[in-house]
Amino acid sequence: MNKKTTPGKVIVIVAPSGAGKTTIAQRLLKEYPKIEFSVSATTRKPRKDEKDGEDYYFLSDEEFDRRIKNGEFLEWEHYSGNRYGTLQSEVDKLVESGYFPLLDVEVKGALNVQRLYNSGAISIFIEPPSLEELKNRLSKRGSETESSLQQRLKRAEMEIKYADRFDYSVVNDDLEEAYTEVKNIIEPFITD
């Protein structure tokens, strides 16, 4: 007799670049075996150590267009000259297997996922303590030009305006405290 798995629910974490979203997401993935990262698709070229199907699905512009036309994306967006999107088939496959897909998506995409999955999704917005602190964090990375830094900060200002549209908002002033707060939010969700 096969044991039927209980469908999982979708966890959406949203934040401006530099707010700590990736660090928090990676820790959740390590701590909770039933949380799985949903692999996104992109039109950008793979970086040195990235693998197709693990880090991203690397698609041509034509393939990305075909999948948009076929309605295969839960959400997609232009970002820094490339397109990124979440394939519904990837999320549904994880949910049906009893996993809790973790989506790391942009604000508008997250709102769409929240709308589509309704009570089957939980959304958490990670906020920086201030735009000045966000600027400091992005500058410390050493990977930003002055122009790209200003673009990210302008985008962050826009994204922060949407924070109240999500189920929860967590200010990442201290990483340990923010991570504990996120854990306290998701634990009842993944154990009910």
Side-chain angles (χ1 to χ4, degrees):
M1 177 183 238
N2 289 341
K3 182 181 175 193
K4 184 170 170 62
T5 59
T6 304
K9 295 180 182 178
V10 180
I11 300 168
V12 182
I13 296 183
V14 184
S17 182
K21 168 181 63 173
T22 302
T23 302
I24 289 170
Q26 289 172 342
R27 288 182 64 181
L28 289 172
L29 290 166
K30 283 182 184 168
E31 188 166 345
Y32 297 95
K34 292 299 276 182
I35 297 176
E36 284 283 328
F37 187 70
S38 175
V39 179
S40 297
T42 184
T43 57
R44 80 162 169 75
K45 299 293 180 223
R47 294 184 183 130
K48 193 169 71 170
D49 294 326
E50 290 179 327
K51 293 183 176 70
D52 187 52
E54 285 182 31
D55 299 292
Y56 285 96
Y57 291 105
F58 295 99
L59 306 178
S60 67
D61 282 317
E62 297 76 23
E63 178 67 10
F64 206 96
D65 288 339
R66 185 187 68 74
R67 289 177 181 246
I68 291 170
K69 187 177 176 184
N70 291 341
E72 295 180 40
F73 287 107
L74 285 173
E75 58 82 32
W76 68 272
E77 186 170 322
H78 284 275
Y79 189 75
S80 295
N82 295 295
R83 291 182 288 174
Y84 295 83
T86 304
L87 293 164
Q88 182 159 1
S89 60
E90 284 299 302
V91 174
D92 289 347
K93 179 174 64 177
L94 290 170
V95 169
E96 289 163 10
S97 298
Y99 287 96
F100 297 87
L102 177 63
L103 278 62
D104 171 354
V105 295
E106 301 301 318
V107 168
K108 291 177 182 170
L111 292 171
N112 193 48
V113 170
Q114 189 174 328
R115 181 184 57 78
L116 290 169
Y117 282 91
N118 199 2
S119 64
I122 187 167
S123 59
I124 304 167
F125 191 92
I126 309 295
E127 289 188 66
S130 68
L131 285 174
E132 189 60 36
E133 175 59 23
L134 186 65
K135 181 179 181 180
N136 291 339
R137 290 177 187 179
L138 290 170
S139 295
K140 284 180 188 174
R141 286 181 177 176
S143 61
E144 301 296 325
T145 64
E146 185 58 34
S147 173
S148 67
L149 178 63
Q150 291 309 314
Q151 286 178 326
R152 287 190 188 274
L153 291 172
K154 186 175 179 178
R155 184 177 181 96
E157 274 188 88
M158 178 276 296
E159 291 172 330
I160 290 168
K161 291 177 183 173
Y162 285 89
D164 65 348
R165 307 251 323 255
F166 295 93
D167 297 322
Y168 298 92
S169 182
V170 173
V171 175
N172 183 9
D173 193 11
D174 174 272
L175 182 60
E176 290 307 314
E177 288 177 19
Y179 180 67
T180 299
E181 193 171 340
V182 170
K183 278 177 49 173
N184 291 337
I185 291 167
I186 67 161
E187 280 185 352
F189 186 74
I190 65 174
T191 57
D192 68 6

